[in-house]
Amino acid sequence: MNEIDRLSEFLQRLTPLSRSCLLSELERLELCGIDMPGSGDIQSRLRAEFRKDGSTQARATSPSRYFFAPLELLLIDGAPEHANMGRISRNTLTPIWEWICRDLLPTMARDYIKAINEQVAVNNQKEVLKIASTFQTKVVKVLESTFASADSTEFARGKLAQYTASRSAFDDVRKMLHVLRAGDALPKFNEKLPEKIARFDDGQVVQVTAQLDAFKKAHPEALPFALALVARRLTTSWQLVRLATKAAASKSASDVAAAPYACVVHMVLDRLDDKRLALRIALRHNRVLIARDLLAEIYDTEYALKVRIDGIEHCEWGVRLQQLMDAIATLVSAEVSRFPSNVGHILGSRRLRSHDTLSGKLTYLAWKGRDVVQDGAAAFRKLIGQS
């Protein structure tokens, strides 16, 4: 028996759910930059079985798809191993589903799958949604009980680790609990947002902040997901930081950190880290034009954070930002170094840093001039208030 035959025999011994979980795990490891010998052949075989459309991203089967439906707007493709506030990795859904079916609620999960499949077969969507909602409620109650003690939490963490080595998977379970517990509050909040926020100006910031204030009052644990829904409507993700800087007493890092929605700075940094991962994958597959666009977005985000938060380099945000930019610089340097020094590389172009152009520098000076006026006015108001 040759190696290919042995591989086929091994895969067939696994349950369909286990094979799907294996595919998600191999893709996660690849996206994290970990090379597994023979992984490509296994992924090709498993994709042919589970993804007739040739998709390279995990897609849930019908029962799990209906169960995870409330998470759909919060899912991100890929496998970020860093904290990703308000968002859930699509690749963790398969191991989480297997954990639910095998360990958390095995009997109820079997009944749920059977009931869902029967209603899908007769195209009774109303009953399908009702069954999914009932099972979601049962899972929420069990998870609440699980997280009630440190021992049961660690036991659950260990069980989930049998299906994935992802460090973020168990955090995604907690996020799932918060989303399911919020019920229809998140979809209703999402419906009230503008279809597209091309320019997150002061008026839009005030309007969205008022909506967030009302949401936070009723569902404080689900706030990061509401913020993630806002970010989806923005043309550029770094604009999310305006929710913090607009409400801050000044542009200093300490004042921004004291603002009600200061957590959005972490969220912008999370998205910058996502772009770092995407850049690495693009370079690995020689997709230079995609890498160029990603790099331009990265530089714009770096510039926006530095120009809008004074002294950011001296706080936790700045440390993380510098670490990310150093890692990105290493990726770009490795790519550019593959070419002779007399041959220009598109990723080495100064044009990617739009703020280094004459127009960018004039914009920067305009920002600084406005800041001087605003900070002076703020200081004067404080002085009057103290006198």
Side-chain angles (χ1 to χ4, degrees):
M1 182 181 294
N2 60 33
E3 185 175 340
I4 295 177
D5 291 335
R6 285 197 298 271
L7 175 61
S8 298
E9 183 179 341
F10 165 74
L11 293 176
Q12 290 308 311
R13 288 177 184 172
L14 302 176
T15 64
L17 195 56
S18 294
R19 291 199 296 276
S20 178
C21 192
L22 174 62
L23 175 57
S24 292
E25 187 68 2
L26 290 174
E27 289 175 336
R28 185 188 69 81
L29 292 172
E30 182 180 47
L31 288 169
C32 290
I34 300 173
D35 292 320
M36 299 285 289
S39 173
D41 290 337
I42 297 176
Q43 288 185 49
S44 296
R45 287 170 176 269
L46 294 176
R47 283 185 188 131
E49 175 182 356
F50 293 108
R51 304 179 195 162
K52 305 303 182 183
D53 61 352
S55 172
T56 58
Q57 293 296 339
R59 291 296 181 269
T61 56
S62 288
S64 60
R65 187 175 70 249
Y66 288 114
F67 175 80
F68 289 125
L71 312 182
E72 186 60 38
L73 290 177
L74 305 167
L75 296 179
I76 52 173
D77 292 327
E81 290 301 285
H82 58 83
N84 219 308
M85 191 181 297
R87 298 188 297 168
I88 297 171
S89 173
R90 190 184 298 276
N91 278 48
T92 64
L93 298 189
T94 301
I96 288 173
W97 181 244
E98 186 158 0
W99 170 66
I100 290 172
C101 292
R102 291 191 175 188
D103 298 300
L104 195 69
L105 285 171
T107 302
M108 290 184 180
R110 281 197 298 271
D111 293 341
Y112 163 75
I113 291 170
K114 181 175 181 294
I116 280 286
N117 287 335
E118 288 174 352
Q119 297 305 317
V120 169
V122 297
N123 197 28
N124 189 343
Q125 286 299 304
K126 184 176 180 180
E127 190 63 23
V128 163
L129 296 177
K130 181 180 176 181
I131 293 169
S133 178
T134 300
F135 188 56
Q136 287 161 3
T137 300
K138 292 176 181 178
V139 170
V140 165
K141 290 180 179 179
V142 174
L143 287 177
E144 287 175 340
S145 175
T146 298
F147 290 132
S149 76
D151 289 343
S152 60
T153 298
E154 286 309 305
F155 181 78
R157 188 191 298 273
K159 282 292 186 180
L160 180 59
Q162 295 176 8
Y163 305 107
T164 176
S166 171
R167 294 171 296 179
S168 64
F170 199 68
D171 289 336
D172 284 347
V173 173
R174 289 185 182 275
K175 293 177 186 178
M176 179 184 75
L177 172 61
H178 294 321
V179 173
L180 294 180
R181 200 152 50 184
D184 61 357
L186 281 166
K188 287 182 178 179
F189 173 83
N190 189 55
E191 289 173 4
K192 294 178 182 178
L193 293 173
E195 186 64 29
K196 196 73 177 175
I197 304 177
R199 189 161 173 250
F200 206 29
D201 56 21
D202 289 353
Q204 288 278 21
V205 171
V206 170
Q207 179 184 339
V208 170
T209 298
Q211 292 174 255
L212 286 167
D213 289 343
F215 182 89
K216 181 173 66 172
K217 187 175 181 180
H219 305 280
E221 289 184 332
L223 177 63
F225 309 107
L227 290 167
L229 292 175
V230 173
R232 283 174 57 91
R233 305 303 179 100
L234 299 175
T235 304
T236 52
S237 61
W238 64 257
Q239 290 182 332
L240 193 65
V241 79
R242 298 208 65 230
L243 288 170
T245 57
K246 172 66 177 174
S250 76
K251 287 182 58 180
S252 73
S254 58
D255 281 340
V256 174
Y261 297 108
C263 64
V264 296
V265 182
H266 284 294
M267 298 179 80
V268 171
L269 290 170
D270 288 342
R271 284 158 175 74
L272 188 62
D273 206 350
D274 291 341
K275 288 183 173 62
R276 176 188 63 83
L277 290 167
L279 177 65
R280 183 177 65 189
I281 296 299
L283 292 176
R284 187 174 181 179
H285 295 283
N286 293 317
R287 295 167 182 162
V288 180
L289 294 181
I290 293 176
R292 177 201 62 188
D293 294 342
L294 284 167
L295 198 55
E297 292 174 15
I298 287 168
Y299 289 151
D300 285 347
T301 300
E302 177 197 23
Y303 174 69
L305 288 172
K306 287 183 174 180
V307 80
R308 284 166 174 76
I309 304 176
D310 289 342
I312 189 174
E313 63 274 11
H314 303 303
C315 68
E316 179 187 348
W317 296 329
V319 171
R320 186 181 176 196
L321 175 61
Q322 190 58 54
Q323 289 172 343
L324 288 171
M325 295 311 298
D326 287 346
I328 290 162
T330 299
L331 288 173
V332 173
S333 178
E335 169 66 18
V336 172
S337 67
R338 296 195 302 116
F339 294 79
S341 58
N342 61 334
V343 176
H345 194 290
I346 192 172
L347 299 189
S349 171
R350 287 173 57 89
R351 298 171 71 90
L352 292 178
R353 292 183 179 269
S354 59
H355 50 277
D356 279 347
T357 63
L358 177 60
S359 174
K361 289 177 179 178
L362 290 174
T363 301
Y364 175 79
L365 291 173
W367 267 97
K368 283 300 180 183
R370 192 180 75 172
D371 292 342
V372 169
V373 173
Q374 290 180 338
D375 289 348
F380 181 67
R381 285 195 296 270
K382 285 184 180 179
L383 183 62
I384 293 175
Q386 291 171 355
S387 60

